[in-house]
Amino acid sequence: DIQMTQSPSSLSASVGDRVTITCRASQIIGSYVNWYQQKPGKAPKLLIYTTFSLQSGVPSRFSGSGSGTEFTLTIGSLQPEDFATYFCQQSYTVPTFGGGTKVEVK
Amino acid sequence: QVQLVESGGGVVQPGRSLRLSCEASGFTFSVYGMHWVRQAPGKGLEWVAVIWYDGSNDYYADSVKGRFTISRDNSKNTLYLQMNSLRAEDTAVYYCARDSRELRPGHTMDVWGQGTTVTVSS
Protein backbone atom coordinates (compact mmCIF):
# COMPACT_ATOMS: atom_id res chain seq x y z
CA ASP A 1 0.00 0.00 0.00
CA ILE A 2 1.03 3.59 -0.60
CA GLN A 3 1.73 5.44 2.65
CA MET A 4 0.86 9.12 2.98
CA THR A 5 2.88 11.05 5.57
CA GLN A 6 1.28 14.35 6.49
CA SER A 7 2.95 17.19 8.39
CA PRO A 8 2.62 18.85 10.73
CA SER A 9 0.15 16.84 12.79
CA SER A 10 -1.10 20.10 14.29
CA LEU A 11 -0.45 23.80 13.99
CA SER A 12 -1.60 26.98 15.66
CA ALA A 13 -2.50 29.96 13.53
CA SER A 14 -4.40 33.25 13.58
CA VAL A 15 -7.11 34.58 11.31
CA GLY A 16 -5.43 36.05 8.25
CA ASP A 17 -2.39 33.78 8.41
CA ARG A 18 -1.14 31.81 5.43
CA VAL A 19 -1.17 28.11 6.31
CA THR A 20 0.68 25.31 4.52
CA ILE A 21 0.21 21.58 5.06
CA THR A 22 2.42 18.99 3.41
CA CYS A 23 1.87 15.39 2.39
CA ARG A 24 4.56 12.99 1.20
CA ALA A 25 3.75 9.76 -0.63
CA SER A 26 5.84 6.61 -0.25
CA GLN A 27 6.07 6.30 -4.03
CA ILE A 28 5.44 8.43 -7.11
CA ILE A 29 1.72 8.98 -7.56
CA GLY A 30 1.58 11.61 -10.30
CA SER A 31 -1.05 14.20 -9.40
CA TYR A 32 -3.42 11.78 -7.70
CA VAL A 33 -3.83 13.58 -4.39
CA ASN A 34 -7.00 14.93 -2.81
CA TRP A 35 -7.51 17.09 0.26
CA TYR A 36 -10.42 16.96 2.70
CA GLN A 37 -11.55 19.17 5.57
CA GLN A 38 -13.25 17.72 8.62
CA LYS A 39 -14.89 19.58 11.48
CA PRO A 40 -15.66 17.91 14.83
CA GLY A 41 -18.60 15.54 14.63
CA LYS A 42 -19.00 16.05 10.89
CA ALA A 43 -18.19 14.07 7.78
CA PRO A 44 -15.13 14.97 5.72
CA LYS A 45 -15.62 17.44 2.89
CA LEU A 46 -13.71 17.30 -0.39
CA LEU A 47 -11.74 20.52 -0.93
CA ILE A 48 -9.24 19.80 -3.71
CA TYR A 49 -8.87 16.86 -6.11
CA THR A 50 -6.02 15.73 -8.34
CA THR A 51 -3.61 18.10 -6.62
CA PHE A 52 -4.84 21.41 -8.01
CA SER A 53 -8.56 21.32 -8.79
CA LEU A 54 -10.90 23.16 -6.45
CA GLN A 55 -14.14 21.33 -5.66
CA SER A 56 -17.27 23.29 -6.52
CA GLY A 57 -18.23 25.74 -3.78
CA VAL A 58 -14.83 25.75 -2.07
CA PRO A 59 -13.37 29.23 -1.51
CA SER A 60 -10.44 30.26 -3.67
CA ARG A 61 -8.22 30.87 -0.63
CA PHE A 62 -7.67 27.08 -0.71
CA SER A 63 -5.11 25.86 -3.21
CA GLY A 64 -3.07 22.76 -3.88
CA SER A 65 0.27 22.10 -5.48
CA GLY A 66 2.90 19.43 -5.96
CA SER A 67 3.60 16.34 -8.01
CA GLY A 68 5.37 13.02 -7.77
CA THR A 69 5.67 12.42 -4.04
CA GLU A 70 5.39 15.89 -2.44
CA PHE A 71 2.10 17.74 -2.18
CA THR A 72 0.91 20.88 -0.42
CA LEU A 73 -2.39 22.37 0.68
CA THR A 74 -2.29 26.12 1.22
CA ILE A 75 -4.89 28.31 2.86
CA GLY A 76 -4.08 31.80 1.59
CA SER A 77 -5.71 33.78 4.40
CA LEU A 78 -7.10 31.71 7.25
CA GLN A 79 -10.74 32.42 8.11
CA PRO A 80 -12.59 31.55 11.35
CA GLU A 81 -14.46 28.71 9.62
CA ASP A 82 -11.19 27.10 8.50
CA PHE A 83 -10.20 25.86 11.95
CA ALA A 84 -10.57 22.13 11.36
CA THR A 85 -8.62 18.98 10.60
CA TYR A 86 -7.29 18.42 7.09
CA PHE A 87 -6.47 15.08 5.46
CA CYS A 88 -4.63 14.26 2.27
CA GLN A 89 -5.53 11.11 0.34
CA GLN A 90 -3.92 9.40 -2.61
CA SER A 91 -6.17 8.17 -5.41
CA TYR A 92 -3.42 6.53 -7.49
CA THR A 93 -4.46 3.13 -6.20
CA VAL A 94 -6.94 1.97 -3.60
CA PRO A 95 -7.17 4.97 -1.31
CA THR A 96 -4.98 5.75 1.67
CA PHE A 97 -5.15 8.84 3.84
CA GLY A 98 -2.58 10.92 5.62
CA GLY A 99 -2.72 11.11 9.39
CA GLY A 100 -4.34 14.54 9.44
CA THR A 101 -3.38 18.08 10.43
CA LYS A 102 -5.38 19.88 13.06
CA VAL A 103 -5.44 23.64 12.54
CA GLU A 104 -6.03 25.33 15.88
CA VAL A 105 -6.47 28.88 17.09
CA LYS A 106 -3.24 30.53 18.17
CA GLN B 1 -30.33 17.26 -3.06
CA VAL B 2 -27.54 14.71 -3.24
CA GLN B 3 -27.59 12.76 0.00
CA LEU B 4 -26.26 9.62 1.64
CA VAL B 5 -27.79 8.32 4.86
CA GLU B 6 -26.13 5.50 6.81
CA SER B 7 -27.87 3.23 9.29
CA GLY B 8 -27.31 -0.03 11.12
CA GLY B 9 -24.64 0.94 13.60
CA GLY B 10 -24.76 -0.08 17.23
CA VAL B 11 -23.03 -1.95 20.02
CA VAL B 12 -22.01 -5.53 19.23
CA GLN B 13 -19.93 -8.14 21.01
CA PRO B 14 -16.58 -9.26 19.63
CA GLY B 15 -16.94 -12.05 17.10
CA ARG B 16 -20.47 -11.10 16.14
CA SER B 17 -21.79 -9.59 12.92
CA LEU B 18 -23.44 -6.36 11.84
CA ARG B 19 -24.72 -5.00 8.53
CA LEU B 20 -24.56 -1.33 7.69
CA SER B 21 -26.74 0.33 5.06
CA CYS B 22 -26.34 3.54 3.12
CA GLU B 23 -29.34 4.92 1.25
CA ALA B 24 -28.60 7.28 -1.61
CA SER B 25 -30.84 9.98 -3.07
CA GLY B 26 -30.63 12.94 -5.40
CA PHE B 27 -28.36 11.30 -7.97
CA THR B 28 -28.23 8.27 -10.26
CA PHE B 29 -26.83 5.77 -7.79
CA SER B 30 -26.34 3.02 -10.36
CA VAL B 31 -23.58 4.82 -12.29
CA TYR B 32 -21.25 5.59 -9.38
CA GLY B 33 -18.78 3.51 -7.46
CA MET B 34 -19.18 3.69 -3.71
CA HIS B 35 -16.82 3.52 -0.75
CA TRP B 36 -16.89 2.83 2.96
CA VAL B 37 -14.45 4.81 5.11
CA ARG B 38 -14.13 4.56 8.88
CA GLN B 39 -12.73 6.68 11.68
CA ALA B 40 -11.84 5.25 15.06
CA PRO B 41 -12.44 7.53 18.06
CA GLY B 42 -9.93 10.39 18.01
CA LYS B 43 -8.11 8.93 15.01
CA GLY B 44 -7.73 9.60 11.31
CA LEU B 45 -9.62 8.31 8.31
CA GLU B 46 -9.19 4.72 7.13
CA TRP B 47 -10.53 3.58 3.79
CA VAL B 48 -12.38 0.26 4.13
CA ALA B 49 -13.78 -0.87 0.78
CA VAL B 50 -14.94 0.15 -2.70
CA ILE B 51 -17.46 -1.36 -5.08
CA TRP B 52 -17.88 -0.71 -8.76
CA TYR B 53 -21.06 0.96 -10.04
CA ASP B 54 -22.51 -2.37 -11.15
CA GLY B 55 -21.11 -4.48 -8.33
CA SER B 56 -18.73 -6.26 -10.69
CA ASN B 57 -15.60 -5.48 -8.68
CA ASP B 58 -14.75 -4.75 -5.10
CA TYR B 59 -11.57 -4.13 -3.11
CA TYR B 60 -10.83 -4.09 0.60
CA ALA B 61 -8.31 -2.76 3.08
CA ASP B 62 -6.06 -5.51 4.42
CA SER B 63 -7.45 -4.88 7.92
CA VAL B 64 -10.94 -6.08 6.92
CA LYS B 65 -10.25 -8.46 4.04
CA GLY B 66 -12.01 -11.78 4.53
CA ARG B 67 -14.27 -10.39 7.28
CA PHE B 68 -16.17 -7.53 5.60
CA THR B 69 -18.20 -7.61 2.37
CA ILE B 70 -19.35 -4.58 0.44
CA SER B 71 -22.42 -4.93 -1.78
CA ARG B 72 -25.13 -2.84 -3.38
CA ASP B 73 -28.71 -3.03 -4.59
CA ASN B 74 -29.12 -0.52 -7.39
CA SER B 75 -32.87 -1.11 -7.50
CA LYS B 76 -33.03 0.19 -3.93
CA ASN B 77 -30.31 2.85 -4.24
CA THR B 78 -28.62 1.25 -1.27
CA LEU B 79 -25.06 0.30 -0.38
CA TYR B 80 -24.25 -2.28 2.28
CA LEU B 81 -21.34 -3.35 4.44
CA GLN B 82 -21.60 -6.79 5.99
CA MET B 83 -19.18 -6.99 8.91
CA ASN B 84 -18.39 -10.41 10.36
CA SER B 85 -16.01 -11.56 13.10
CA LEU B 86 -15.96 -8.07 14.56
CA ARG B 87 -13.04 -6.99 16.73
CA ALA B 88 -12.57 -4.19 19.23
CA GLU B 89 -10.36 -2.41 16.70
CA ASP B 90 -13.32 -2.18 14.29
CA THR B 91 -14.93 0.34 16.65
CA ALA B 92 -15.38 3.49 14.58
CA VAL B 93 -17.72 5.84 12.81
CA TYR B 94 -18.43 4.33 9.41
CA TYR B 95 -19.04 6.67 6.49
CA CYS B 96 -20.30 5.79 3.06
CA ALA B 97 -19.03 8.01 0.27
CA ARG B 98 -19.67 8.41 -3.42
CA ASP B 99 -16.84 8.15 -5.89
CA SER B 100 -16.64 11.34 -7.93
CA ARG B 101 -16.29 9.52 -11.24
CA GLU B 102 -19.05 7.71 -13.09
CA LEU B 103 -18.60 4.02 -13.89
CA ARG B 104 -15.03 2.95 -13.01
CA PRO B 105 -14.04 4.51 -9.63
CA GLY B 106 -11.29 7.12 -9.56
CA HIS B 107 -10.99 6.88 -5.76
CA THR B 108 -11.93 10.48 -5.05
CA MET B 109 -14.85 10.79 -2.65
CA ASP B 110 -17.06 13.80 -3.30
CA VAL B 111 -20.24 13.10 -1.32
CA TRP B 112 -20.26 11.69 2.21
CA GLY B 113 -22.93 10.49 4.57
CA GLN B 114 -23.17 11.65 8.17
CA GLY B 115 -21.77 8.38 9.50
CA THR B 116 -23.01 5.58 11.72
CA THR B 117 -21.22 4.48 14.88
CA VAL B 118 -20.15 0.89 15.47
CA THR B 119 -18.90 -0.11 18.91
CA VAL B 120 -17.44 -3.57 19.41
CA SER B 121 -17.36 -4.38 23.10
CA SER B 122 -18.24 -7.19 25.47
Side-chain angles (χ1 to χ4, degrees):
Chain A
D1 288 0
I2 298 173
Q3 308 303 316
M4 301 295 285
T5 303
Q6 195 172 333
S7 61
S9 57
S10 66
L11 64 89
S12 299
S14 301
V15 172
D17 285 353
R18 182 180 178 88
V19 169
T20 300
I21 299 168
T22 299
C23 215
R24 176 176 295 171
S26 59
Q27 65 182 71
I28 293 172
I29 56 172
S31 297
Y32 292 98
V33 164
N34 308 314
W35 292 93
Y36 300 84
Q37 176 193 67
Q38 187 180 33
K39 296 182 178 179
K42 300 295 186 182
K45 171 187 173 184
L46 178 65
L47 294 179
I48 289 173
Y49 58 97
T50 53
T51 300
F52 308 103
S53 299
L54 208 60
Q55 177 69 350
S56 176
V58 173
S60 59
R61 62 181 178 273
F62 291 93
S63 63
S65 62
S67 67
T69 62
E70 297 278 340
F71 302 88
T72 299
L73 171 70
T74 299
I75 308 173
S77 177
L78 195 67
Q79 297 302 300
E81 60 269 30
D82 300 337
F83 291 100
T85 301
Y86 295 85
F87 295 93
C88 62
Q89 174 239 324
Q90 63 81 15
S91 56
Y92 185 75
T93 63
V94 287
T96 48
F97 291 89
T101 297
K102 186 174 184 179
V103 177
E104 300 176 298
V105 177
K106 190 171 186 178
Chain B
Q1 74 278 23
V2 174
Q3 194 172 7
L4 298 170
V5 178
E6 301 95 336
S7 61
V11 180
V12 61
Q13 292 179 328
R16 303 297 291 263
S17 299
L18 203 61
R19 188 177 82 156
L20 306 182
S21 300
C22 168
E23 186 169 351
S25 60
F27 66 98
T28 305
F29 179 71
S30 61
V31 303
Y32 287 92
M34 296 294 296
H35 301 262
W36 286 100
V37 176
R38 68 184 181 183
Q39 187 169 35
K43 302 297 184 182
L45 300 171
E46 181 187 16
W47 174 81
V48 172
V50 62
I51 188 168
W52 258 231
Y53 69 102
D54 59 356
S56 59
N57 286 288
D58 52 46
Y59 294 92
Y60 299 89
D62 287 345
S63 58
V64 307
K65 201 173 295 182
R67 300 188 299 122
F68 289 12
T69 302
I70 188 172
S71 63
R72 64 191 298 159
D73 185 339
N74 286 344
S75 69
K76 295 182 179 179
N77 290 342
T78 302
L79 175 73
Y80 302 101
L81 185 67
Q82 177 67 43
M83 304 185 294
N84 297 333
S85 303
L86 282 161
R87 306 167 179 167
E89 53 265 36
D90 296 319
T91 294
V93 175
Y94 285 74
Y95 297 100
C96 63
R98 187 184 78 171
D99 196 279
S100 65
R101 198 166 82 182
E102 294 184 6
L103 305 182
R104 182 187 173 94
H107 302 316
T108 295
M109 289 155 261
D110 67 343
V111 179
W112 295 66
Q114 84 288 351
T116 188
T117 300
V118 173
T119 302
V120 183
S121 173
S122 54

PDB file of all heavy atoms in Angstrom, chain B residues 54-73:
ATOM      1  N   ASP B  54     -21.617  -1.255 -10.850  1.00  0.00           N
ATOM      2  CA  ASP B  54     -22.506  -2.373 -11.152  1.00  0.00           C
ATOM      3  C   ASP B  54     -22.269  -3.572 -10.246  1.00  0.00           C
ATOM      4  O   ASP B  54     -22.817  -4.654 -10.491  1.00  0.00           O
ATOM      5  CB  ASP B  54     -22.345  -2.788 -12.620  1.00  0.00           C
ATOM      6  CG  ASP B  54     -20.928  -3.183 -12.947  1.00  0.00           C
ATOM      7  OD1 ASP B  54     -20.046  -3.065 -12.082  1.00  0.00           O
ATOM      8  OD2 ASP B  54     -20.698  -3.624 -14.095  1.00  0.00           O
ATOM      9  N   GLY B  55     -21.413  -3.394  -9.254  1.00  0.00           N
ATOM     10  CA  GLY B  55     -21.113  -4.482  -8.326  1.00  0.00           C
ATOM     11  C   GLY B  55     -20.148  -5.514  -8.872  1.00  0.00           C
ATOM     12  O   GLY B  55     -19.910  -6.529  -8.219  1.00  0.00           O
ATOM     13  N   SER B  56     -19.556  -5.255 -10.043  1.00  0.00           N
ATOM     14  CA  SER B  56     -18.725  -6.263 -10.694  1.00  0.00           C
ATOM     15  C   SER B  56     -17.341  -6.428 -10.057  1.00  0.00           C
ATOM     16  O   SER B  56     -16.694  -7.455 -10.247  1.00  0.00           O
ATOM     17  CB  SER B  56     -18.556  -5.917 -12.175  1.00  0.00           C
ATOM     18  OG  SER B  56     -17.948  -4.634 -12.307  1.00  0.00           O
ATOM     19  N   ASN B  57     -16.898  -5.426  -9.347  1.00  0.00           N
ATOM     20  CA  ASN B  57     -15.596  -5.484  -8.685  1.00  0.00           C
ATOM     21  C   ASN B  57     -15.686  -4.854  -7.303  1.00  0.00           C
ATOM     22  O   ASN B  57     -16.463  -3.928  -7.085  1.00  0.00           O
ATOM     23  CB  ASN B  57     -14.530  -4.729  -9.480  1.00  0.00           C
ATOM     24  CG  ASN B  57     -14.089  -5.468 -10.718  1.00  0.00           C
ATOM     25  OD1 ASN B  57     -13.386  -6.472 -10.634  1.00  0.00           O
ATOM     26  ND2 ASN B  57     -14.516  -5.003 -11.863  1.00  0.00           N
ATOM     27  N   ASP B  58     -14.853  -5.366  -6.407  1.00  0.00           N
ATOM     28  CA  ASP B  58     -14.746  -4.747  -5.101  1.00  0.00           C
ATOM     29  C   ASP B  58     -13.328  -4.960  -4.559  1.00  0.00           C
ATOM     30  O   ASP B  58     -12.634  -5.919  -4.942  1.00  0.00           O
ATOM     31  CB  ASP B  58     -15.793  -5.280  -4.121  1.00  0.00           C
ATOM     32  CG  ASP B  58     -15.822  -6.799  -4.024  1.00  0.00           C
ATOM     33  OD1 ASP B  58     -14.743  -7.420  -3.913  1.00  0.00           O
ATOM     34  OD2 ASP B  58     -16.917  -7.368  -4.034  1.00  0.00           O
ATOM     35  N   TYR B  59     -12.905  -4.063  -3.706  1.00  0.00           N
ATOM     36  CA  TYR B  59     -11.573  -4.126  -3.107  1.00  0.00           C
ATOM     37  C   TYR B  59     -11.694  -3.723  -1.643  1.00  0.00           C
ATOM     38  O   TYR B  59     -12.562  -2.936  -1.281  1.00  0.00           O
ATOM     39  CB  TYR B  59     -10.594  -3.201  -3.842  1.00  0.00           C
ATOM     40  CG  TYR B  59     -10.335  -3.631  -5.258  1.00  0.00           C
ATOM     41  CD1 TYR B  59     -11.097  -3.143  -6.304  1.00  0.00           C
ATOM     42  CD2 TYR B  59      -9.340  -4.566  -5.542  1.00  0.00           C
ATOM     43  CE1 TYR B  59     -10.874  -3.547  -7.607  1.00  0.00           C
ATOM     44  CE2 TYR B  59      -9.110  -4.980  -6.843  1.00  0.00           C
ATOM     45  CZ  TYR B  59      -9.881  -4.475  -7.867  1.00  0.00           C
ATOM     46  OH  TYR B  59      -9.666  -4.894  -9.150  1.00  0.00           O
ATOM     47  N   TYR B  60     -10.759  -4.264  -0.846  1.00  0.00           N
ATOM     48  CA  TYR B  60     -10.830  -4.086   0.599  1.00  0.00           C
ATOM     49  C   TYR B  60      -9.472  -3.697   1.178  1.00  0.00           C
ATOM     50  O   TYR B  60      -8.423  -4.095   0.650  1.00  0.00           O
ATOM     51  CB  TYR B  60     -11.283  -5.389   1.268  1.00  0.00           C
ATOM     52  CG  TYR B  60     -12.648  -5.832   0.833  1.00  0.00           C
ATOM     53  CD1 TYR B  60     -12.815  -6.653  -0.285  1.00  0.00           C
ATOM     54  CD2 TYR B  60     -13.786  -5.425   1.514  1.00  0.00           C
ATOM     55  CE1 TYR B  60     -14.075  -7.050  -0.707  1.00  0.00           C
ATOM     56  CE2 TYR B  60     -15.056  -5.816   1.102  1.00  0.00           C
ATOM     57  CZ  TYR B  60     -15.183  -6.625  -0.014  1.00  0.00           C
ATOM     58  OH  TYR B  60     -16.435  -7.006  -0.427  1.00  0.00           O
ATOM     59  N   ALA B  61      -9.520  -2.978   2.289  1.00  0.00           N
ATOM     60  CA  ALA B  61      -8.314  -2.762   3.079  1.00  0.00           C
ATOM     61  C   ALA B  61      -7.878  -4.092   3.684  1.00  0.00           C
ATOM     62  O   ALA B  61      -8.718  -4.947   4.001  1.00  0.00           O
ATOM     63  CB  ALA B  61      -8.584  -1.736   4.173  1.00  0.00           C
ATOM     64  N   ASP B  62      -6.586  -4.260   3.855  1.00  0.00           N
ATOM     65  CA  ASP B  62      -6.065  -5.506   4.420  1.00  0.00           C
ATOM     66  C   ASP B  62      -6.671  -5.782   5.798  1.00  0.00           C
ATOM     67  O   ASP B  62      -6.878  -6.940   6.174  1.00  0.00           O
ATOM     68  CB  ASP B  62      -4.544  -5.446   4.531  1.00  0.00           C
ATOM     69  CG  ASP B  62      -3.860  -5.553   3.180  1.00  0.00           C
ATOM     70  OD1 ASP B  62      -4.526  -5.955   2.202  1.00  0.00           O
ATOM     71  OD2 ASP B  62      -2.661  -5.217   3.106  1.00  0.00           O
ATOM     72  N   SER B  63      -6.952  -4.720   6.552  1.00  0.00           N
ATOM     73  CA  SER B  63      -7.447  -4.879   7.922  1.00  0.00           C
ATOM     74  C   SER B  63      -8.835  -5.515   8.001  1.00  0.00           C
ATOM     75  O   SER B  63      -9.232  -6.007   9.070  1.00  0.00           O
ATOM     76  CB  SER B  63      -7.470  -3.515   8.620  1.00  0.00           C
ATOM     77  OG  SER B  63      -8.289  -2.601   7.905  1.00  0.00           O
ATOM     78  N   VAL B  64      -9.574  -5.524   6.896  1.00  0.00           N
ATOM     79  CA  VAL B  64     -10.939  -6.079   6.918  1.00  0.00           C
ATOM     80  C   VAL B  64     -11.134  -7.200   5.901  1.00  0.00           C
ATOM     81  O   VAL B  64     -12.209  -7.830   5.884  1.00  0.00           O
ATOM     82  CB  VAL B  64     -12.003  -4.986   6.680  1.00  0.00           C
ATOM     83  CG1 VAL B  64     -11.813  -3.824   7.657  1.00  0.00           C
ATOM     84  CG2 VAL B  64     -11.982  -4.487   5.241  1.00  0.00           C
ATOM     85  N   LYS B  65     -10.124  -7.446   5.093  1.00  0.00           N
ATOM     86  CA  LYS B  65     -10.254  -8.456   4.037  1.00  0.00           C
ATOM     87  C   LYS B  65     -10.590  -9.820   4.625  1.00  0.00           C
ATOM     88  O   LYS B  65      -9.978 -10.252   5.610  1.00  0.00           O
ATOM     89  CB  LYS B  65      -8.952  -8.524   3.237  1.00  0.00           C
ATOM     90  CG  LYS B  65      -9.071  -9.117   1.872  1.00  0.00           C
ATOM     91  CD  LYS B  65      -7.746  -8.971   1.111  1.00  0.00           C
ATOM     92  CE  LYS B  65      -7.406  -7.530   0.851  1.00  0.00           C
ATOM     93  NZ  LYS B  65      -6.140  -7.377   0.069  1.00  0.00           N
ATOM     94  N   GLY B  66     -11.584 -10.468   4.049  1.00  0.00           N
ATOM     95  CA  GLY B  66     -12.012 -11.779   4.534  1.00  0.00           C
ATOM     96  C   GLY B  66     -13.056 -11.725   5.632  1.00  0.00           C
ATOM     97  O   GLY B  66     -13.652 -12.748   5.977  1.00  0.00           O
ATOM     98  N   ARG B  67     -13.270 -10.547   6.208  1.00  0.00           N
ATOM     99  CA  ARG B  67     -14.271 -10.386   7.277  1.00  0.00           C
ATOM    100  C   ARG B  67     -15.435  -9.499   6.844  1.00  0.00           C
ATOM    101  O   ARG B  67     -16.575  -9.719   7.270  1.00  0.00           O
ATOM    102  CB  ARG B  67     -13.629  -9.786   8.525  1.00  0.00           C
ATOM    103  CG  ARG B  67     -12.506 -10.608   9.125  1.00  0.00           C
ATOM    104  CD  ARG B  67     -12.046 -10.043  10.471  1.00  0.00           C
ATOM    105  NE  ARG B  67     -11.537  -8.679  10.359  1.00  0.00           N
ATOM    106  CZ  ARG B  67     -12.028  -7.643  11.020  1.00  0.00           C
ATOM    107  NH1 ARG B  67     -13.047  -7.794  11.857  1.00  0.00           N
ATOM    108  NH2 ARG B  67     -11.490  -6.439  10.874  1.00  0.00           N
ATOM    109  N   PHE B  68     -15.145  -8.478   6.036  1.00  0.00           N
ATOM    110  CA  PHE B  68     -16.174  -7.534   5.600  1.00  0.00           C
ATOM    111  C   PHE B  68     -16.498  -7.774   4.130  1.00  0.00           C
ATOM    112  O   PHE B  68     -15.622  -8.146   3.332  1.00  0.00           O
ATOM    113  CB  PHE B  68     -15.677  -6.097   5.744  1.00  0.00           C
ATOM    114  CG  PHE B  68     -15.550  -5.599   7.171  1.00  0.00           C
ATOM    115  CD1 PHE B  68     -15.630  -6.460   8.261  1.00  0.00           C
ATOM    116  CD2 PHE B  68     -15.356  -4.247   7.419  1.00  0.00           C
ATOM    117  CE1 PHE B  68     -15.508  -5.993   9.560  1.00  0.00           C
ATOM    118  CE2 PHE B  68     -15.229  -3.757   8.704  1.00  0.00           C
ATOM    119  CZ  PHE B  68     -15.301  -4.634   9.774  1.00  0.00           C
ATOM    120  N   THR B  69     -17.768  -7.511   3.760  1.00  0.00           N
ATOM    121  CA  THR B  69     -18.198  -7.608   2.372  1.00  0.00           C
ATOM    122  C   THR B  69     -19.019  -6.382   2.012  1.00  0.00           C
ATOM    123  O   THR B  69     -20.005  -6.073   2.685  1.00  0.00           O
ATOM    124  CB  THR B  69     -19.041  -8.870   2.142  1.00  0.00           C
ATOM    125  OG1 THR B  69     -18.286 -10.032   2.500  1.00  0.00           O
ATOM    126  CG2 THR B  69     -19.459  -8.969   0.673  1.00  0.00           C
ATOM    127  N   ILE B  70     -18.590  -5.720   0.956  1.00  0.00           N
ATOM    128  CA  ILE B  70     -19.351  -4.583   0.436  1.00  0.00           C
ATOM    129  C   ILE B  70     -20.273  -5.080  -0.670  1.00  0.00           C
ATOM    130  O   ILE B  70     -19.890  -5.952  -1.464  1.00  0.00           O
ATOM    131  CB  ILE B  70     -18.399  -3.467  -0.066  1.00  0.00           C
ATOM    132  CG1 ILE B  70     -19.152  -2.194  -0.424  1.00  0.00           C
ATOM    133  CG2 ILE B  70     -17.550  -3.958  -1.237  1.00  0.00           C
ATOM    134  CD1 ILE B  70     -18.237  -0.998  -0.736  1.00  0.00           C
ATOM    135  N   SER B  71     -21.479  -4.547  -0.723  1.00  0.00           N
ATOM    136  CA  SER B  71     -22.422  -4.931  -1.777  1.00  0.00           C
ATOM    137  C   SER B  71     -23.366  -3.767  -2.019  1.00  0.00           C
ATOM    138  O   SER B  71     -23.360  -2.779  -1.282  1.00  0.00           O
ATOM    139  CB  SER B  71     -23.198  -6.195  -1.386  1.00  0.00           C
ATOM    140  OG  SER B  71     -23.985  -5.963  -0.217  1.00  0.00           O
ATOM    141  N   ARG B  72     -24.178  -3.910  -3.048  1.00  0.00           N
ATOM    142  CA  ARG B  72     -25.128  -2.842  -3.379  1.00  0.00           C
ATOM    143  C   ARG B  72     -26.351  -3.423  -4.040  1.00  0.00           C
ATOM    144  O   ARG B  72     -26.289  -4.489  -4.679  1.00  0.00           O
ATOM    145  CB  ARG B  72     -24.460  -1.797  -4.284  1.00  0.00           C
ATOM    146  CG  ARG B  72     -24.030  -2.317  -5.645  1.00  0.00           C
ATOM    147  CD  ARG B  72     -23.148  -1.290  -6.354  1.00  0.00           C
ATOM    148  NE  ARG B  72     -23.856  -0.041  -6.596  1.00  0.00           N
ATOM    149  CZ  ARG B  72     -23.246   1.123  -6.822  1.00  0.00           C
ATOM    150  NH1 ARG B  72     -21.913   1.196  -6.809  1.00  0.00           N
ATOM    151  NH2 ARG B  72     -23.950   2.220  -7.050  1.00  0.00           N
ATOM    152  N   ASP B  73     -27.461  -2.697  -3.904  1.00  0.00           N
ATOM    153  CA  ASP B  73     -28.706  -3.032  -4.593  1.00  0.00           C
ATOM    154  C   ASP B  73     -29.120  -1.771  -5.333  1.00  0.00           C
ATOM    155  O   ASP B  73     -29.670  -0.837  -4.726  1.00  0.00           O
ATOM    156  CB  ASP B  73     -29.775  -3.479  -3.591  1.00  0.00           C
ATOM    157  CG  ASP B  73     -31.048  -3.946  -4.270  1.00  0.00           C
ATOM    158  OD1 ASP B  73     -31.295  -3.576  -5.441  1.00  0.00           O
ATOM    159  OD2 ASP B  73     -31.821  -4.672  -3.621  1.00  0.00           O
TER     160      ASP B  73
END
